Amino acid sequence: MKSLRLVVVLSSLCILISGHSERERLHDLMFKYPLIDGHNDLALQLRRFYNNELSQVDLHNVTKFATDINRLRAGHVQAQMFAVYVMCGAQEKDAVRLTLEQIDVVRRMCTEYQEFELVTSVQGLRNSEMKHKIACLISIEGGHSIDSSLPTLRMFYLLGVRSMSLTHSCNTPWKVIVFQRENNSLTHFGKAVVEEMNRLGMIVDLSHTAWDTASAVLKHSKAPVIFSHSSSYFICHHHRNVPDWILLELRKNRGVIMVNFHRNFITFRDKANISHVADHFDHIKKLIGAESIGIGADFEGAVSFPQGLDDVSKYPDLIQELLQRNWTENEVANILRGNFLRVFEEVERVRDQLSLNQPSEVQIPVEEVQNPCRLVLRPPKPKEHRQSSSSRAHHGPKGLLILAIGLLLSSFFMDE
Ligand SMILES: *[C@@H]1O[C@H](CO)[C@@H](O)[C@H](O)[C@H]1NC(C)=O
Ligand SMILES: *[C@@H]1O[C@H](CO)[C@@H](O)[C@H](O)[C@H]1NC(C)=O
Ligand SMILES: *[C@@H]1O[C@H](CO)[C@@H](O)[C@H](O)[C@H]1NC(C)=O
Ligand SMILES: *[C@@H]1O[C@H](CO)[C@@H](O)[C@H](O)[C@H]1NC(C)=O
Ligand SMILES: [Zn+2]
């Protein structure tokens, strides 16, 4: 009886110690390889709840969000791609202004809080880790943000944007939305956007695009691409997830799919937990290898999360589940950050290779973007000049008046 009690005590002590050391091993691993997450919509919440007034919130501890600095630290998050998303309703309206304002709020957040650091390169990302900072990367979510303009894309790059998803849930004039299944899903201008992103060193993000668009881009891009927040269609038949045939193309492209935790993308049932999320990782690994996987949880964007994965402090629990499923430490280190860093490095390498190329002057055909918010400035055609001077000859003062107004207008535009 006594010895039995001893055995019980000893074995429970063993479980305690091994459990403890397992948890320690996990935290050591994540300390060594802290997470780079592909997608977080905190900036959207700052607009919704605080009208982007950062002075109204303390980002160390925001209980109504799933993301704050304390919990990012607890979750071993070292870098976060912050989406600067504006609603599709802003397309053909003020999408560019709204995007600028979202970039502003991320830039402010990442400079005003000393725990954060805005980074725009692989080197910057690595340095921020040495300094124990949380690196902020800026990504545009939805090509409508550039209003079909490559110069606008370039200016966003100058402001620090290093990734853009080509569509959200609206068609851009040059892409096809997620719901459509057409073959002509990348137009001439769409190809120019991909080429210009390759030239600039901006990561192409295919989350939200139609599958055929994704496939067309995978064929066209010179650099590896990412799905910043999408999961496996094989495991959960949701159109936002990625089917196996595209995953196979992604492997050829050497890109990465960063798995989304949104409950609707994990399982159609009401209940989802960490095991269901791990199933997505297992399936993708089996199909295209662990070197093609990352994490893009979609906190603040998605509305509901699996049990046990409901805020940014919970990533270690998923990693523990993967280790229990016999993922090696090397595989885990790669999905935490190694794979994303490899893609980003290759994107920079392609940029360097293309450094002799001039900025693209490709423009979208005017008839594809006709809307009242778009002003087209063209000098008057020479023929019209002749017409107006002849009208002066024939109509005297009235013709002169028209000419004067014309001159006034053109000098007004020249001053701009
Ligand atoms: C965060 O704020 C809540 C109240 O809003 C408080 O109850 C909690 O203790 C705070 N947590 C930390 C870690 O400061
Ligand atoms: C799309 O597919 C249809 C039918 O296969 C074909 O007729 C059409 O030319 C294709 N369009 C493009 C742009 O490839
Ligand atoms: C998740 O739920 C399934 C039942 O749907 C169950 O078999 C599994 O053990 C659960 N996993 C965790 C980690 O709770
Ligand atoms: C992990 O590996 C161990 C020992 O090699 C084995 O007993 C166990 O069944 C494996 N677990 C899974 C989920 O494959
Ligand atoms: Zn999204």
Side-chain angles (χ1 to χ4, degrees):
M1 193 63 200
K2 218 174 187 178
S3 62
L4 182 68
R5 207 174 291 161
L6 191 69
V7 167
V8 170
V9 167
L10 276 181
S11 63
S12 51
L13 206 64
C14 258
I15 289 165
L16 207 71
I17 289 169
S18 72
H20 178 67
S21 66
E22 213 173 80
R23 201 70 191 170
E24 247 179 15
R25 174 176 157 239
L26 171 73
H27 283 286
D28 285 350
L29 183 68
M30 291 194 74
F31 189 76
K32 212 161 145 197
Y33 304 105
L35 174 67
I36 301 172
D37 178 278
H39 195 88
N40 183 298
D41 273 307
L42 182 60
L44 178 64
Q45 300 291 47
L46 290 174
R47 176 175 288 278
R48 269 194 195 138
F49 286 92
Y50 299 102
N51 197 25
N52 282 2
E53 292 167 25
L54 277 184
S55 57
Q56 302 305 309
V57 60
D58 175 4
L59 287 178
H60 293 97
N61 177 14
V62 197
T63 38
K64 68 165 158 254
F65 295 167
T67 308
D68 60 31
I69 292 173
N70 291 340
R71 282 174 289 167
L72 284 167
R73 289 287 198 209
H76 294 281
V77 180
Q78 191 270 312
Q80 179 64 64
M81 272 227 271
F82 285 109
V84 289
Y85 166 66
V86 304
M87 282 46 126
C88 275
Q91 177 159 244
E92 303 188 354
K93 291 185 188 144
D94 46 4
V96 173
R97 172 181 64 86
L98 290 167
T99 306
L100 284 167
E101 289 179 359
Q102 293 312 92
I103 293 173
D104 175 72
V105 82
V106 173
R107 291 185 62 110
R108 280 191 59 200
M109 169 177 97
C110 295
T111 43
E112 290 173 20
Y113 285 86
Q114 51 144 13
E115 291 89 346
F116 283 131
E117 182 176 47
L118 185 74
V119 305
T120 54
S121 65
V122 173
Q123 192 57 52
L125 199 44
R126 292 222 160 95
N127 292 346
S128 70
E129 197 227 329
M130 315 266 228
K131 292 185 262 177
H132 292 285
K133 301 260 189 186
I134 301 168
C136 306
L137 286 156
I138 304 177
S139 70
I140 289 177
E141 183 171 17
H144 57 288
S145 280
I146 66 166
D147 196 10
S148 300
S149 154
L150 295 182
T152 305
L153 175 73
R154 289 193 283 270
M155 291 304 101
F156 282 144
Y157 181 87
L158 283 186
L159 293 175
V161 174
R162 287 298 175 269
S163 170
M164 181 173 82
S165 70
L166 301 183
T167 54
H168 195 259
S169 42
C170 48
N171 251 328
T172 53
W174 38 283
K175 295 281 167 359
V176 173
I177 57 163
V178 72
F179 305 103
Q180 275 173 288
R181 299 272 181 264
E182 288 177 1
N183 50 357
N184 58 342
S185 45
L186 199 56
T187 63
H188 178 65
F189 185 75
K191 285 180 182 160
V193 171
V194 172
E195 286 162 21
E196 193 64 354
M197 289 178 76
N198 285 168
R199 191 190 67 85
L200 288 166
M202 212 190 259
I203 303 168
V204 177
D205 180 359
L206 294 179
S207 280
H208 285 285
T209 60
W211 294 348
D212 284 324
T213 304
S215 176
V217 174
L218 280 161
K219 288 190 183 79
H220 199 69
S221 175
K222 289 197 173 69
V225 306
I226 61 171
F227 287 87
S228 67
H229 59 307
S230 297
S231 308
S232 159
Y233 185 81
F234 179 87
I235 299 292
C236 176
H237 281 27
H238 191 290
H239 65 263
R240 272 282 283 104
N241 287 340
V242 185
D244 286 357
W245 66 273
I246 292 184
L247 288 177
L248 292 170
E249 292 183 8
L250 181 70
R251 178 172 61 183
K252 263 190 236 149
N253 162 272
R254 300 177 48 72
V256 166
I257 172 169
M258 306 176 91
V259 174
N260 191 318
F261 297 173
H262 185 12
R263 201 185 62 198
N264 294 359
F265 303 169
I266 293 302
T267 158
F268 274 126
R269 277 158 302 191
D270 282 345
K271 285 208 160 69
N273 61 32
I274 291 178
S275 312
H276 298 117
V277 178
D279 290 344
H280 286 259
F281 285 83
D282 273 345
H283 174 74
I284 301 169
K285 177 177 136 183
K286 204 171 84 201
L287 187 73
I288 57 171
E291 65 279 8
S292 308
I293 312 176
I295 297 173
D298 206 4
F299 285 117
E300 313 307 339
V303 284
S304 62
F305 288 92
Q307 198 182 12
L309 269 184
D310 41 12
D311 72 50
V312 295
S313 70
K314 306 289 172 51
Y315 294 104
D317 298 319
L318 171 68
I319 299 305
Q320 184 168 35
E321 172 75 18
L322 295 180
L323 291 172
Q324 274 162 9
R325 293 182 180 208
N326 289 344
W327 284 54
T328 67
E329 293 201 354
N330 190 39
E331 287 168 343
V332 167
N334 280 340
I335 65 161
L336 284 168
R337 61 190 285 116
N339 295 335
F340 178 83
L341 284 172
R342 186 200 72 232
V343 168
F344 198 6
E345 255 164 10
E346 287 191 31
V347 165
E348 289 186 345
R349 199 173 308 135
V350 168
R351 173 200 64 191
D352 294 344
Q353 283 162 4
L354 299 176
S355 63
L356 292 179
N357 291 12
Q358 293 301 307
S360 169
E361 294 185 344
V362 171
Q363 294 188 17
I364 196 159
V366 175
E367 56 277 12
E368 282 179 31
V369 284
Q370 268 175 1
N371 74 67
C373 295
R374 216 171 169 96
L375 179 65
V376 181
L377 288 187
R378 293 268 160 80
K381 291 198 181 94
K383 209 173 116 210
E384 285 165 12
H385 266 311
R386 269 198 303 279
Q387 269 175 357
S388 69
S389 55
S390 72
S391 71
R392 176 176 45 158
H394 289 128
H395 301 288
K398 197 171 153 204
L400 267 177
L401 188 66
I402 290 169
L403 183 70
I405 290 171
L407 282 173
L408 198 69
L409 279 177
S410 62
S411 71
F412 173 73
F413 284 128
M414 273 175 202
D415 282 345
E416 287 287 295

